Amino acid sequence: MDSFRSLSVGLSFDKSVHGDDMKRFLPNKKASASMTSLSAPRDGVAFDTIQNHHAGTSASAPQHQSSSKSVSAIAVPALPSSLQLFKKSNFGDDAADSDAEEDSKATRDAADSVEQQNGPANAPTTLSRHTPIKEMSRKHMINIWRKHALTVKGSDIPAPVEHFSSLVRPPLNVPEHVVNNLFTRAHRVPTPVQMQAIPALIRRRDVLACAPTGSGKTLAFLIPMFALLKQPDPTSVGVRALVISPTMELAVQIEREAFFLLKGGNRWKLVQHGQSTKGKDICVSTPGRLASLIKQKLIDLSMVEILVFDEGDKLWDDRTDFLPVVDTIIAACSNPNKVVALFTATMSERVEANAMSVMHPDPVRIIVQGRTSANKDVEQRLVFCTNELGKVVAVRNFIREGIRPPVLIFVQSIERTKELFDEIKCHGLHVALIHSRMTSDERDEVVLNFRLGKIWVLITTELLSRGIDFKGIGTVINFDIPLTPESYVHRVGRTGRAGKKGLAVTFFTTDDYERLAPIAKIAKESGAPIEDWMLELKVNKKRERELSSKTPLRMIVNTEKRIMVGLQRTDRRLRAAEREKEAEKGKKGSKKRNRDDDDNDEDNEDE
Ligand SMILES: Nc1ncnc2c1ncn2[C@@H]1O[C@H](COP(=O)(O)OP(=O)(O)OP(=O)(O)O)[C@@H](O)[C@H]1O
């Protein structure tokens, strides 16, 4: 942690270049308040999660306990009826569109009101006052799919949803508070993956969805989760919805989104680590944490009604260590009627087949754009650097010429996060590093500070390559070229999120040529101007597989460390040479002694 304390040094960004970006980081009370709320529940709101025992920060825990005695419930009052967005009896799509301005004002008022109240939870919402959604013709469905580059497979596919206001209407019946909350964020129109995945899951169909990074997959499974669960069930013996994510950081982020959606609803409960799961509704966790809870019999998954694998290709990839753990979890989710869903931005056919083996027959398969395609809102550049030192020079040049902060830099190993941190920290940047060997408290602190804009440049490993939604990341730099095309898609997808534009720069040297072609292909397909020679550097499939699991050896990028390691190596070589010399001398000495002995023997024989 000492390294992080050195980060609050002055900035050296050019204000004329970064004026707009810097404004984002000026103290913003509203943003700070919402940041604080991630770990510190607001008035009248208490929520526990399986992860927040470590996310939570020492400051949050005592507040939490003092605000609620039985610390495991969200207790937010529903909106007063005068502020309900859905008070109109006929809240159709057209009406919603024309009332857009009015709604957003009412929604802001409603949100403010929720913040201020601290009363008991409301009675269940009545949904019958909404008119049912009209049936959609097959032709209209196909038009929507075409318009949004959606490929949808499966039989009897539920009609896509074109506006969030339709969600409250039968047969979807999403709780009103969920939709109210979407409107407070000005989310009115679903993204393509949401359009199709939400109705499919609500109709209890298993779903396999592959859609670009930053296209709203989290809400695509959380919204139907609330519709499927309908009401909190304090009598349930175990959790009813389970979301599995590959990293703790992502699990915490998903919980935050769930927390956002359940505001204003009834007393939904999220599981806290170590607590009994009795009477709890939702659990978001990593496979490792879950497996350990299952082993200790601290979690009952037999009641799970909806099981979601976020970043599912990582969890279902048989080249990773997750698969046996995932098997244990699936075995524990013994309810045969559960709905199973997998969401990702990159899905190979092998992963799809693996996942389908635990789903009901005929799941709805949704692919937006392609199986491994980069987000088109990200401007992608592949930059040749002569060698490792050339990469350091290139990073410095980027910073000097005016980088768009916040910036995320990916390297291939934990060691290299430290090396690069030491190499660029002297440039007066608010720079930090994060990797999986840090404690969860340290990681939380870095992530929070990055979110708050206190850290401008964050150096990381694959740990943050997937799922993490940092608002406003302007630039991603692949300092070390990713090992796989999938990793490339996820890494560059940390920018250009939710319709915003971003820049992703990938450095490569002559040593990286074998890895370049598939990445260049993805960049080209998403509109980057890629030179043909890069696409022609193909390797065969076998070699491609080898490369994907082999981290290349690279020269140390930190000058001090390189000199030190170089000196140590020279020292070791000198000592080895000396030892060899000594050994040689010893050998010669003993040969001579042997010869002398032989001579003596001969002398003796002569005698
Ligand atoms: N319908 C919507 N309209 C506008 N913004 C949205 C909508 N749905 C989600 N968002 C926003 O888009 C951003 C990205 O969403 P999310 O993190 O779910 O993306 P993702 O598809 O899961 O990305 P990744 O593949 O990287 O995990 C979030 O900030 C979210 O609030």
Side-chain angles (χ1 to χ4, degrees), residues 468-479:
I468 295 293
D469 186 44
F470 290 124
K471 299 273 178 287
I473 286 197
T475 309
V476 165
I477 296 179
N478 283 318
F479 185 85

PDB file of all heavy atoms in Angstrom, residues 468-479:
ATOM      1  N   ILE A 468     -15.689  -4.818 -15.848  1.00  0.00           N
ATOM      2  CA  ILE A 468     -15.640  -3.633 -14.993  1.00  0.00           C
ATOM      3  C   ILE A 468     -16.073  -2.389 -15.777  1.00  0.00           C
ATOM      4  O   ILE A 468     -15.587  -2.126 -16.863  1.00  0.00           O
ATOM      5  CB  ILE A 468     -14.218  -3.456 -14.403  1.00  0.00           C
ATOM      6  CG1 ILE A 468     -13.900  -4.632 -13.475  1.00  0.00           C
ATOM      7  CG2 ILE A 468     -14.068  -2.150 -13.685  1.00  0.00           C
ATOM      8  CD1 ILE A 468     -14.736  -4.675 -12.220  1.00  0.00           C
ATOM      9  N   ASP A 469     -17.003  -1.647 -15.182  1.00  0.00           N
ATOM     10  CA  ASP A 469     -17.596  -0.495 -15.850  1.00  0.00           C
ATOM     11  C   ASP A 469     -17.122   0.774 -15.157  1.00  0.00           C
ATOM     12  O   ASP A 469     -17.798   1.300 -14.289  1.00  0.00           O
ATOM     13  CB  ASP A 469     -19.129  -0.635 -15.780  1.00  0.00           C
ATOM     14  CG  ASP A 469     -19.847   0.444 -16.563  1.00  0.00           C
ATOM     15  OD1 ASP A 469     -19.425   0.738 -17.693  1.00  0.00           O
ATOM     16  OD2 ASP A 469     -20.830   0.995 -16.044  1.00  0.00           O
ATOM     17  N   PHE A 470     -15.931   1.236 -15.518  1.00  0.00           N
ATOM     18  CA  PHE A 470     -15.446   2.509 -14.995  1.00  0.00           C
ATOM     19  C   PHE A 470     -15.999   3.590 -15.908  1.00  0.00           C
ATOM     20  O   PHE A 470     -15.740   3.565 -17.117  1.00  0.00           O
ATOM     21  CB  PHE A 470     -13.923   2.568 -15.020  1.00  0.00           C
ATOM     22  CG  PHE A 470     -13.252   1.670 -14.029  1.00  0.00           C
ATOM     23  CD1 PHE A 470     -12.329   0.740 -14.439  1.00  0.00           C
ATOM     24  CD2 PHE A 470     -13.532   1.770 -12.682  1.00  0.00           C
ATOM     25  CE1 PHE A 470     -11.687  -0.086 -13.534  1.00  0.00           C
ATOM     26  CE2 PHE A 470     -12.898   0.946 -11.769  1.00  0.00           C
ATOM     27  CZ  PHE A 470     -11.978   0.016 -12.189  1.00  0.00           C
ATOM     28  N   LYS A 471     -16.706   4.523 -15.313  1.00  0.00           N
ATOM     29  CA  LYS A 471     -17.313   5.558 -16.141  1.00  0.00           C
ATOM     30  C   LYS A 471     -16.215   6.439 -16.754  1.00  0.00           C
ATOM     31  O   LYS A 471     -15.277   6.834 -16.094  1.00  0.00           O
ATOM     32  CB  LYS A 471     -18.238   6.456 -15.303  1.00  0.00           C
ATOM     33  CG  LYS A 471     -19.388   5.700 -14.671  1.00  0.00           C
ATOM     34  CD  LYS A 471     -20.590   5.596 -15.601  1.00  0.00           C
ATOM     35  CE  LYS A 471     -21.724   4.810 -14.992  1.00  0.00           C
ATOM     36  NZ  LYS A 471     -21.527   3.370 -14.902  1.00  0.00           N
ATOM     37  N   GLY A 472     -16.367   6.684 -18.013  1.00  0.00           N
ATOM     38  CA  GLY A 472     -15.551   7.707 -18.674  1.00  0.00           C
ATOM     39  C   GLY A 472     -14.108   7.357 -18.931  1.00  0.00           C
ATOM     40  O   GLY A 472     -13.296   8.264 -19.095  1.00  0.00           O
ATOM     41  N   ILE A 473     -13.748   6.062 -18.961  1.00  0.00           N
ATOM     42  CA  ILE A 473     -12.360   5.762 -19.319  1.00  0.00           C
ATOM     43  C   ILE A 473     -12.147   6.240 -20.753  1.00  0.00           C
ATOM     44  O   ILE A 473     -12.867   5.843 -21.662  1.00  0.00           O
ATOM     45  CB  ILE A 473     -12.061   4.247 -19.209  1.00  0.00           C
ATOM     46  CG1 ILE A 473     -11.953   3.873 -17.733  1.00  0.00           C
ATOM     47  CG2 ILE A 473     -10.762   3.887 -19.946  1.00  0.00           C
ATOM     48  CD1 ILE A 473     -11.298   2.561 -17.453  1.00  0.00           C
ATOM     49  N   GLY A 474     -11.163   7.144 -20.930  1.00  0.00           N
ATOM     50  CA  GLY A 474     -10.925   7.707 -22.255  1.00  0.00           C
ATOM     51  C   GLY A 474     -10.018   6.815 -23.084  1.00  0.00           C
ATOM     52  O   GLY A 474     -10.203   6.671 -24.292  1.00  0.00           O
ATOM     53  N   THR A 475      -9.014   6.237 -22.420  1.00  0.00           N
ATOM     54  CA  THR A 475      -8.000   5.489 -23.169  1.00  0.00           C
ATOM     55  C   THR A 475      -7.642   4.186 -22.473  1.00  0.00           C
ATOM     56  O   THR A 475      -7.454   4.159 -21.260  1.00  0.00           O
ATOM     57  CB  THR A 475      -6.713   6.339 -23.290  1.00  0.00           C
ATOM     58  OG1 THR A 475      -7.063   7.628 -23.771  1.00  0.00           O
ATOM     59  CG2 THR A 475      -5.709   5.705 -24.235  1.00  0.00           C
ATOM     60  N   VAL A 476      -7.538   3.134 -23.274  1.00  0.00           N
ATOM     61  CA  VAL A 476      -6.976   1.869 -22.794  1.00  0.00           C
ATOM     62  C   VAL A 476      -5.660   1.673 -23.537  1.00  0.00           C
ATOM     63  O   VAL A 476      -5.608   1.846 -24.756  1.00  0.00           O
ATOM     64  CB  VAL A 476      -7.931   0.691 -23.100  1.00  0.00           C
ATOM     65  CG1 VAL A 476      -7.211  -0.638 -22.935  1.00  0.00           C
ATOM     66  CG2 VAL A 476      -9.143   0.732 -22.186  1.00  0.00           C
ATOM     67  N   ILE A 477      -4.605   1.332 -22.805  1.00  0.00           N
ATOM     68  CA  ILE A 477      -3.342   1.019 -23.475  1.00  0.00           C
ATOM     69  C   ILE A 477      -2.996  -0.436 -23.189  1.00  0.00           C
ATOM     70  O   ILE A 477      -2.881  -0.833 -22.030  1.00  0.00           O
ATOM     71  CB  ILE A 477      -2.202   1.940 -22.980  1.00  0.00           C
ATOM     72  CG1 ILE A 477      -2.512   3.397 -23.352  1.00  0.00           C
ATOM     73  CG2 ILE A 477      -0.863   1.511 -23.583  1.00  0.00           C
ATOM     74  CD1 ILE A 477      -1.474   4.406 -22.900  1.00  0.00           C
ATOM     75  N   ASN A 478      -2.859  -1.213 -24.234  1.00  0.00           N
ATOM     76  CA  ASN A 478      -2.334  -2.571 -24.075  1.00  0.00           C
ATOM     77  C   ASN A 478      -0.818  -2.458 -24.156  1.00  0.00           C
ATOM     78  O   ASN A 478      -0.248  -2.521 -25.251  1.00  0.00           O
ATOM     79  CB  ASN A 478      -2.853  -3.481 -25.184  1.00  0.00           C
ATOM     80  CG  ASN A 478      -4.282  -3.908 -24.935  1.00  0.00           C
ATOM     81  OD1 ASN A 478      -4.642  -4.242 -23.805  1.00  0.00           O
ATOM     82  ND2 ASN A 478      -5.088  -3.892 -25.966  1.00  0.00           N
ATOM     83  N   PHE A 479      -0.189  -2.231 -23.033  1.00  0.00           N
ATOM     84  CA  PHE A 479       1.270  -2.093 -23.036  1.00  0.00           C
ATOM     85  C   PHE A 479       1.886  -3.405 -23.514  1.00  0.00           C
ATOM     86  O   PHE A 479       2.818  -3.411 -24.319  1.00  0.00           O
ATOM     87  CB  PHE A 479       1.744  -1.740 -21.620  1.00  0.00           C
ATOM     88  CG  PHE A 479       3.211  -1.452 -21.548  1.00  0.00           C
ATOM     89  CD1 PHE A 479       3.701  -0.184 -21.827  1.00  0.00           C
ATOM     90  CD2 PHE A 479       4.109  -2.447 -21.213  1.00  0.00           C
ATOM     91  CE1 PHE A 479       5.065   0.074 -21.787  1.00  0.00           C
ATOM     92  CE2 PHE A 479       5.467  -2.199 -21.166  1.00  0.00           C
ATOM     93  CZ  PHE A 479       5.952  -0.931 -21.453  1.00  0.00           C
TER      94      PHE A 479
END
